[in-house]
């Protein structure tokens, strides 16, 4: 039986041996497996366009061999890229004579399912927006209050930046660019509130961010204040209420 491919089923997995002079036992031993279990291993040949399963030194077949053949023959066919006939057991007619397979399994008996390997599906968890705006940007009362607050922030930022420019002996182009950007964004935000545009969320938050990144304490405080107000005005309203109570408490 020359030009054959050897295979063995180890732990319900098919292993192949090609282009080797080793027989099944030599191959099994080279894998470092338990030699006492060799006779129980289902193994086989691919030869003469036949896939033949068997076990034991006499190449016999039993229910286990038939079960393994039905289960693994489709996978071996896929490995070979050929729909070779599937058999169980080998009968040697005479010493030196041709060896013939015994039991033919028909395609309808093969139970092994060959399915394409699918890439693992990624699970996407809906986390919602990164920043959750609590303000009702369609509320006329909020819009009126937001316009007033934005104008105050604009005026205070202008005063702060003008003072910083006068004090600075080495005004950089970046400082000037930050000032122009803050003023422009706050003006856009005021106009956006008046026109009831959704973009006020973006322009307001960017303006607050630029104020914080000026690395000037007054601007940082102003930027944090406007950032918090843009997300949820209630924090600011509560703070104002607390200040009012403190003032009343001191007067009394």
């Amino acid at each position: 039986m020359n030009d054959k491919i050897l295979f063995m089923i180890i732990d319900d997995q098919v292993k192949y041996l090609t282009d080797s002079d080793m027989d099944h036992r030599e191959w099994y031993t080279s894998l470092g497996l338990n030699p006492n279990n060799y006779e129980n291993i289902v193994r086989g040949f691919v030869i003469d366009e036949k896939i033949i399963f068997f076990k034991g030194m006499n190449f016999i077949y039993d229910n286990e061999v038939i079960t393994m053949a039905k289960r693994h023959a489709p996978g071996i066919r896929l490995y070979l890229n050929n729909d070779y006939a599937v058999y169980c057991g080998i009968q040697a007619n005479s010493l030196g004579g041709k060896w013939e397979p015994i039991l033919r399994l028909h395609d309808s008996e093969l139970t092994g399912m060959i399915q394409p390997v699918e890439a693992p599906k990624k699970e996407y968890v809906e986390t919602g927006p990164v920043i959750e705006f609590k303000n009702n940007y369609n509320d006329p009362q909020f819009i009126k209050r937001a316009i007033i607050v934005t104008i105050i922030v604009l005026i205070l930022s202008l005063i702060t930046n003008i003072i910083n420019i006068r004090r600075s002996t080495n005004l950089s182009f970046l400082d000037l660019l930050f000032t122009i950007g803050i003023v422009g964004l706050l003006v856009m935000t005021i106009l956006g509130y008046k026109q009831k545009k959704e973009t006020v969320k973006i322009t307001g938050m960017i303006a607050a961010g630029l104020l914080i990144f000026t690395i000037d304490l007054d601007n940082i405080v102003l930027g944090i204040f406007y950032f918090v107000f843009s997300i949820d005005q209630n924090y600011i309203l509560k703070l104002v209420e607390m200040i009012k109570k403190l003032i009343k408490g001191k007067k009394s």
Side-chain angles (χ1 to χ4, degrees):
M1 301 177 73
N2 299 319
D3 301 324
K4 59 184 176 292
I5 298 173
L6 279 65
F7 63 84
M8 287 191 299
I9 301 175
I10 307 295
D11 297 329
D12 208 30
Q13 299 291 323
V14 181
K15 295 183 178 293
Y16 300 93
L17 180 67
T18 59
D19 301 322
S20 175
D21 294 329
M22 287 193 293
D23 60 21
H24 280 100
R25 186 180 292 275
E26 292 170 333
W27 177 28
Y28 182 85
T29 302
S30 71
L31 296 175
L33 300 171
N34 182 7
N36 295 325
N37 195 44
Y38 174 72
E39 295 298 325
N40 298 317
I41 296 297
V42 177
R43 60 194 196 277
F45 297 120
V46 179
I47 189 170
D48 296 334
E49 300 185 359
K50 297 180 181 72
I51 303 170
I52 310 171
F53 292 79
F54 52 83
K55 70 191 298 188
M57 60 184 301
N58 294 321
F59 310 103
I60 61 172
Y61 70 90
D62 56 13
N63 288 334
E64 183 189 14
V65 173
I66 294 172
T67 299
M68 291 294 104
K70 289 178 179 180
R71 183 184 302 172
H72 291 288
I76 296 174
R77 282 179 168 181
L78 186 65
Y79 171 81
L80 299 170
N81 196 26
N82 274 299
D83 291 334
Y84 289 163
V86 180
Y87 292 87
C88 294
I90 296 177
Q91 176 67 54
N93 292 329
S94 61
L95 186 61
K98 188 176 181 180
W99 293 26
E100 294 290 346
I102 302 173
L103 177 66
R104 169 76 183 270
L105 297 180
H106 298 285
D107 289 356
S108 60
E109 298 178 84
L110 305 182
T111 58
M113 298 293 291
I114 302 301
Q115 298 180 356
V117 178
E118 297 182 0
K121 295 180 180 179
K122 294 182 179 179
E123 294 185 3
Y124 296 93
V125 179
E126 189 174 342
T127 57
V130 177
I131 298 175
E132 185 178 355
F133 292 88
K134 299 289 187 179
N135 297 323
N136 182 2
Y137 282 79
N138 296 315
D139 180 12
Q141 188 176 356
F142 167 74
I143 292 173
K144 184 179 179 180
R145 186 179 292 118
I147 291 172
I148 295 171
V149 169
T150 307
I151 291 172
I152 293 171
V153 171
L154 173 60
I155 293 170
L156 291 175
S157 67
L158 275 171
I159 293 171
T160 301
N161 283 293
I162 289 170
I163 292 171
N164 289 336
I165 288 170
R166 287 185 175 181
R167 287 177 178 174
S168 177
T169 56
N170 185 24
L171 180 67
S172 68
F173 176 73
L174 186 61
D175 293 331
L176 186 61
L177 194 65
F178 261 65
T179 302
I180 294 170
I182 291 165
V183 172
L185 285 165
L186 288 173
V187 170
M188 287 173 61
T189 304
I190 293 167
L191 294 174
Y193 276 121
K194 288 183 177 181
Q195 297 170 8
K196 296 182 178 180
K197 289 184 177 180
E198 284 289 324
T199 52
V200 294
K201 294 179 181 179
I202 300 172
T203 55
M205 295 301 287
I206 296 174
L210 287 178
L211 283 166
I212 294 169
F213 280 106
T214 55
I215 318 178
D216 175 80
L217 183 59
D218 294 331
N219 279 330
I220 289 172
V221 172
L222 202 57
I224 293 172
F225 166 84
Y226 195 59
F227 180 88
V228 173
F229 175 83
S230 299
I231 294 173
D232 189 350
Q233 64 169 337
N234 289 322
Y235 289 113
I236 305 302
L237 295 177
K238 288 178 181 178
L239 180 62
V240 171
E241 197 64 32
M242 286 176 59
I243 293 171
K244 285 181 179 179
K245 286 181 180 180
L246 287 172
I247 293 172
K248 286 182 180 179
K250 286 183 178 181
K251 286 183 178 180
S252 60

